[in-house]
Structure formats: C-alpha cells, structure tokens
Amino acid sequence: MNRILLRGGRVIDPSAEHDEIADVLIEGERIAAVGRGLRADGAEVIEADGFWVTPGLIDLHCHLREPGQEYKEDIGSGGRAAAAGGFTAVACMANTHPVNDDPATTDFIIDRATHDSPARVYPVAAATKGLEGVVMTEMVALVEAGAAAFSDDGKTIMDGGVMRHVLEYSRLVDAVVITHAEDQTLVGGGVINEGAVSTRLGLRGNPPIAEVVHVARDLILAEFTGGQLHVAHVSTKGAVDLIRQAKDRGVNVTAEVAPHHLVLTDEATAEYNTNMKVAPPLRSEEDRDACRRGLVEGVIDAIATDHAPHAQHEKELEFSAAPPGMIGFETALAVVLDLVRSGELSPLELIRRLSTHPARILRRAGGSLAVGAPADVSVIDPARSWIYDVAKSYSKSRNSPWDGATLTGRAVATLVNGRLVYDVERGILI
Amino acid sequence: MRFVKPEGSSAQGAEVGGGAGASSEVWPSHKPAATAILDEVGIRRSLMRIAHEILERNEEPDRLYLVAIPNGGVPLARRLAANLREIADLVVPVGVLDTTLYRDDLLSTGERPALRQTEMPSAVDDHVVVLVDDVVKTGRTIRAAMDALMDFGRPRVVQVVGLVDRGHRELPIKLDYVGKNLPTHPDDEVQLRGLEGGLRGPLELVVLSTEEASESRGAGK
Amino acid sequence: MIGRDLLGIERLERAEIERILDTAEHMREIGTREVKKVPTLRGRTIVNLFFESSTRTRASFEIAGKRLSADVINFSPSTSSLKKAESILDTARTLDAMDPDAVVVRHAEAGVPQRIADVLAAPVINAGDGAHEHPTQALLDLLTVRQEKGCIDGLTVTIVGDILHSRVARSNIYAFRKLGAEVRIAAPPPMIPCAIEALGVKAYTSLREALEGADVVMALRIQNERLAGAYFPSTREYSATFGIDRAKLRFAKDDAIVMHPGPVNRGVELAHDLADHRPGVILDQVRNGVAIRMAVLYLFAGRQPAEAAR
C-alpha cells in the first residue's frame, strides 16, 4: 500500500479547528494519522518544515471549456493548471459547446477528468436547457450522473418565473443553484464598471446596481421557495449588504468572491488592457473593500477563481468586443494570501474559505484532514517569492493580469487521492 | 583651433569705400568670447553699399521685390528697402518667406523646428526677386528659399543678398551681393543679434567659437 | 512633442497644445497660396486606417497629408474584428511591416488606437475612437475659438448634447480646461456621464443656466437612430429643450459664437440659420481642420523611436 508522510509542517485543518505543527500520514487514498513524531517505515517522506499542510483547496467556480472550445483549455490542461495552483478539486461550469445540460455530457466530463486531470473535477450542470433561461434541466438525472450543482453561469436567468421554478424544483435534490447575478437590462451592454473610469475611457459602463438588483431578486426568491441559492462572484458592496441581511433572516444562501475582486479595482483597466476585462467587472475601491470585509466576516463563504481562459486572438480585439475573463488557478493563492499578510484573516480562516466551505457547498468530501478523510492535501509555502511567467502556465490560455508580476505564496506540493500529482520542483507528475 | 587668412578680397564682396568698421581682417575662431565681426555701424555701411550695388546691377528697378528669410533676413531686408527709397525714391515690396517646410534635413533632425512667419504682400511673377539672408554657409537655406519661391509663382530673375558669406558650400549657390566674407571653422556659429530692436537695431554680427557654438546649438537658435 | 503618438488631449501638456495651434496658424497660410503644397513630407507615407467610415475626417486628413506632399494610403477594414478573421492587432502588425511614417486610426470602439500604438513602431494619430477622444477635432475647435476671441483663458464654454457617447465632448473638455477656460456641459440627465465633474466641468440639466454668460456654445450631434426612446423620448422634445437657436442664445453673451463638429442635424440640435450664418462658425472649423491636421502630421510623422518617449 502506498504510504506518504508529510513531516513537520504547519497542519491547518479548519474542520477540526486545528492549527499546529504536526505530521500527516497518508495510507492508500485516505488520511491515516495526524500527530507529532509519527513514524512510518517505508513511507515516502515529504519534508514540510516551513510550509502549511492543509486540506486540498477546492475551486467552486471555473471554466474548463471542454467539450467544444478546446483551443482555449481542456479538462486535462485545466486540471493540471489547477493542481499547480494547489487545487485538488474544481467545479466546472456548464457553458460549454454543447452545454452541459444532460447526463451524457456530464458523464463525458467526468470520464475525461478521470483520464486527463490530476485534480478532481465536479461538473456544475446547467439550470436551464441550452442556458436559454426557459426550460429547466433534469436535475434528478443530472445529480445521479454526477453533477454537483446547477448554474446558467456565463448567462443570467432573467425571467423571475423561471428562476422561481428552478429554485423550487431544486429542492428535490441536495444541490445549490448558483446564480450569475447581473440584470442584463441594467448591464446595458456595459463592458467596465460604470464610474469615473468608464467616463474617462469612453467605454459603456455596467453599473453596480445591475448586480445588486438581481441579487435582491434571487435572495427573495430563495427565501420564498426554500431552495438553496449560491451567489457567484460577488463584486459589490450592495450585494454583500443584502446577503448579510438575508443570512441574518435565516435565508439559505451562500456566496463566493473571486481573487481579482478582492484586490483590483476598475483603475486597473485604465490602459484598455483586455486581460482586466471580466464579468462582473472590476469595481470601485469601496466595492472591493466591502467584498474583503464580507469575506472576513463570513457573509461571503468561499473564494472561487472563476478561471476563464480565452485565446490570445480573442483578447486582442477591441476592448468592448473582447470576451470577459481571466485565468486564475495558478495565481489565486498568492493573491488571496494578501488577506493573511494584512492581518484580516488568519491562515485557518483563509483555508476554511478555500477548502472546507467549498466542499460543503458542493456537497462533496473535502476540506478536512480527519483520519479517514480522502487524502487530498495541499502543501503551501506562504512566503515564497516567485515571478509569474504566464508563458509557462499549464493552462492553454494566457489571459492573466499578473503576467510578469512578483508574487508571494505558492503551492509547493499537491496530493490527490493519496498521490503526489504536483510539486514545485518537478511540476505536474501524472 | 586653426584659422584661415583670406586670400585678398574674395568674390564681389569687395567693399566700396572701405572704412574702419567693415574691415577685412579675420578673427581667429578660437577666441573664448563671442566675437563681434560687424557692429551696427558696419552693418549700416554694408547695407548702404549693397543697395547701391542692387541699383547698379538691375536695369528695371521698378521690378524689384525683396524677400526676407526669417529671422535674420527680416530687419536686413527692411533696411535695404528703406535705403532704396532713400537713394532712388523706390517703393520696393518686402515679403517674408519661411523656408522651414522646404528644408532637406527636416525629418532627420530630432525635434521639429518651429515654423516662422510667411507673408508675401503681392505676387512674385515677373519680378526681380532679391532674397535676403543674414548668414550664408552651406547654401541649403537659399536652395529651400528658391523652392518655396517657385511655389509662389515665376520670378523673372532671382538674386541673393547675404550679409555674411562663411563659405563651406555644399550646393552650387552663389551670392550676388555680400556684406562681408568670413572664413570660419565649420563648427563655429555666426549669429545676427539684436533682432528684438526691430528696424532701429542696434544689430551686431558675432561669431561663437566651436565650444560656445555647440552650447548654443544645444540651446537652440 | 513629448509622446510619439497623439492618442488624446488628456495626456497633452498646455505647451504642446499651444505649439500645435501655433504651427497650424502657419499651415493655414499655405491654404491661401496659389500652389497649396509644400515638400515637407515628400516621400513619406501616411496611412489612414479608418475602421469606422467618415468621409469628412478622412478627407481632411488626406488633404492635409497631400498638402505636405506625403503619399496618403487609405485602408478601410470592415467595421468589427468579429466580422473577419484578422484581429485589429494583426492588421496593425501587417501595416507596421510596410513601414509607414504615421498611421491615422479611427474606430467605433474606445481604446483601439492605444492598442495599435502598443504594437506599431510608427506614430499613431487618433482620428476618433468610440466615445473616448477625438483630439484633432478639439484642437481645431481651440484654434477657431482662439481666432475669434484672441485668448482662451477665462472664457466660458458650454457644450450641449449627448455627452455620454461623445468623444468630441471629452476631448474638448480636456482641451479647453487645459487652456484656462471654464467648461460647462448641458444634457438631459440620462446623457450626463457618471462622475463627469471629476473632469473639472459643471453639469447642467437646464440649458438656460448653462448658457448664462457663455462665450462659446458648442452643440453636439444627436444620434437619433439609436437614442430616441432610450435616452430621450423624441427629437422633437430634444430640440425644444436643448436645441440651440437664436432665442436661446440670448442667455449667452452678446458676442457668443456657436460651434458644431458636424454633420448637423438641422432643426434638432442646431437651428438652420445658425448652421449657415454667424454667430455659427462651422465652416471656419472645417477650414481649421485641414490646418490642424497638417500641423499634427508635421509634428508627429516620421519620428524615430529614439527621439520620442512612448
């Protein structure tokens, strides 16, 4: 039986509220023991002195582009990029070609992942057929096929009646309905946050209220229907405030935020750099700070990358024509460690938002190093300084705002199901 | 620094009447300070002589048209016009023709030079155009002026006045009327100063040695 | 000039703007000659890369280039990269290989000249990019006002119309502010951009108040095709509330002038007679357009990378 000993690391397990120096022993596909001075003869030893040893990071929200747009990314390349970023599992959205709105496509994705991806892949199936926002999908069959949640992400379900029925029907399965909350009539074709920057740049603005109005609607629908709502990529103060109030009232809602919305503002688009174009857009300082506070307080439960690969020729279009999105697997950790460096979050609380909560939201095992838990482990060096060269990324795409930047914090080893799939010296190993 | 003695009187620039101010001495161009070679008095005398020469040479003085090349040529042309009026009661039109846009070195220089005034009060067709410039060296400015002139019309004859002829021609341009021949080192700078004084001057023609010249060039003429 | 390209007024310094205006005054004189041509840019190639069609602006740049004896080439790729295989930057790179001395770019989307300037070695002149900037228009507007009023410092300039979608408005706001004028904008509320005061202007929804004591009234074109019904109900109501005519001009100074970047929607943003007669100065604007563009080409074309900052 395969045995691995992770020795001397700072073991951070939010599920047990543990944060102390210890060893972790893996046997086969499970955590066998956590404690000091563990002995494991014949085990492969990984010296973790100076590093964090945490439950595997789980990304609630990404785009792997397969089937249909493999020129941007596929399940293999995306899975490798994820593992290189310390993620042991990712949940991929349904806006592929064809849309993942039936069990056959969900099957295909899972099968592909089994063969090609070092990280686990949990498909998020569409909430409506073809993402058209009219007819809901066969949720029961999809969950049986392996779908972990439902979402029309990429698009918004604009019809309130449809969203109501989707939330009501979803009560048949234990899965969240993830909403990409942007009222398209208020977005009005906007390509950047509406504000002083959009005025200066002469670009159509997408006002914060487009998100706030839609979050309000979905929260009320969630409360009314009893369905389980999850708000994707929160970016505005208004949305954070509404979610806080809803949670106080006992509404069944969770929320995520992307790394870029925690550190960047719309000022980053001042040079028309399309790698800064994202949906929802980078917002004002006030919105960014509110998202940080929301994450710290727990109003926002999780961090999710919204890794969205696009080919170079697609991003080289006019700003308004370029598709929105940034890749993010390999830079997420360094970016969000900013909240630990600033003292806003303890390492334990950060890992909780990167692992334990995402697992819970997806109704999947993970986020825990308890004995018997699946051996998905991330080994992290929070202080390592490195220069991100996007040309060397495992992703097929290059649309990152951090190319060439000096980052601090990096995954140095990733283990999935008891196997070392990545280490920083040798790269992806399987 | 080397300097060159002139060989007797060069070109038709031999001065009529001589005089202490307009001397044919040569100032060595390695002198440290800006050296005056023609003062207000000397310039006045040269211009008066030139006015006489113009009248001597041209059988139809009523066809005369003075065209100044800015900036230095402007006060000189105006004074020449005043002289012609004084001597022969002639009213000669005075135009100003900026040659900057006709230069052959425009786009290879660093900054684009500032444009100067162009004002041609009447047509040049069929006139005897006398171009007036303060310092003539390579001859390129005169060539550019002739190109510009041709775009304005068809003069019958073109003649050239240069207050100072420095030599170092790069093109086959000759001067019809010269105030003073002044052999110089190519890197020296020869300047007409006192232009702010307008018509009344006082004007002064100076030469800057090579070091000062390169400083002066750096600052822009 | 400090930068290699002319992408907008926002990044120009006052001294650079004044240099362009002074140079343009000299270029105007050339237009009065028999032979309206100087050899300055002879043998140089100016490329007009107009993704958005515009007969007037393109013709103006073409005349300007030809008066400087340049070879002017017109490229009009189809409007959007989406309609063809070649991206904007691929088009630019292809052009770069032909070694032009200046590329004049016009596009319906903001930011394109900047992106092209990033890949091109040649200087890029922005002839209008979406709602962002139209620097040569603002420069010719400044020149026109300077000719009329002598000096821009201390003047009150009121810009009326669809400020939200207007590059002419943005460029003029920067231009007139940098030269010391007070700038006001007037529009129906949906057409006043967010945080416009950050550009140093005062926003009015009452035309009368905006015109009070104005020296210059600038009317912008209303694009009725796409706006009526969404940003304002009808051209009839727009004309009644924000259209400029002699009656409304009474609130401005007695010697106020009226400007318009053209083409004019007669009877909508500007009354017929103001389009044709003083105090409307539209034809002077057009004449100054060629002079300004000659000045810009003279000052920017053919500059080597070593000379200019990027």
Side-chain angles (χ1 to χ4, degrees), chain C residues 210-229:
Chain C
L211 288 179
E212 206 79 56
D215 298 282
V216 177
V217 181
M218 196 180 293
L220 299 176
R221 180 182 165 77
I222 288 291
Q223 257 135 340
N224 14 352
E225 314 83 57
R226 61 177 161 112
L227 296 183

Side-chain angles (χ1 to χ4, degrees), chain A residues 14 57-60 87 255-257 262 291-304 336 339 344-359 361:
Chain A
L57 308 183
I58 298 175
D59 188 2
L60 265 177
F87 292 94
E256 80 197 26
V257 66
L262 293 169
C291 289
R292 286 174 83 109
R293 270 196 311 275
L295 181 69
V296 167
E297 282 174 25
V299 172
I300 300 177
D301 306 83
I303 295 166
V336 300
L339 286 122
E344 287 159 271
L345 280 177
S346 68
L348 185 79
E349 291 305 325
L350 179 71
I351 300 300
R352 194 193 304 278
R353 288 150 177 72
L354 280 170
S355 181
T356 316
H357 283 172
I361 293 167

Side-chain angles (χ1 to χ4, degrees), chain A residues 214-229:
Chain A
H214 208 85
V215 166
R217 183 200 83 165
D218 285 347
L219 286 171
I220 293 170
L221 287 175
E223 190 172 14
F224 180 73
T225 59
Q228 295 162 121
L229 181 73

Side-chain angles (χ1 to χ4, degrees), chain B residues 90-104:
Chain B
L90 269 177
V91 177
V92 177
V94 179
V96 180
L97 185 58
D98 178 32
T99 56
T100 313
L101 294 173
Y102 290 81
R103 283 169 59 163
D104 55 18

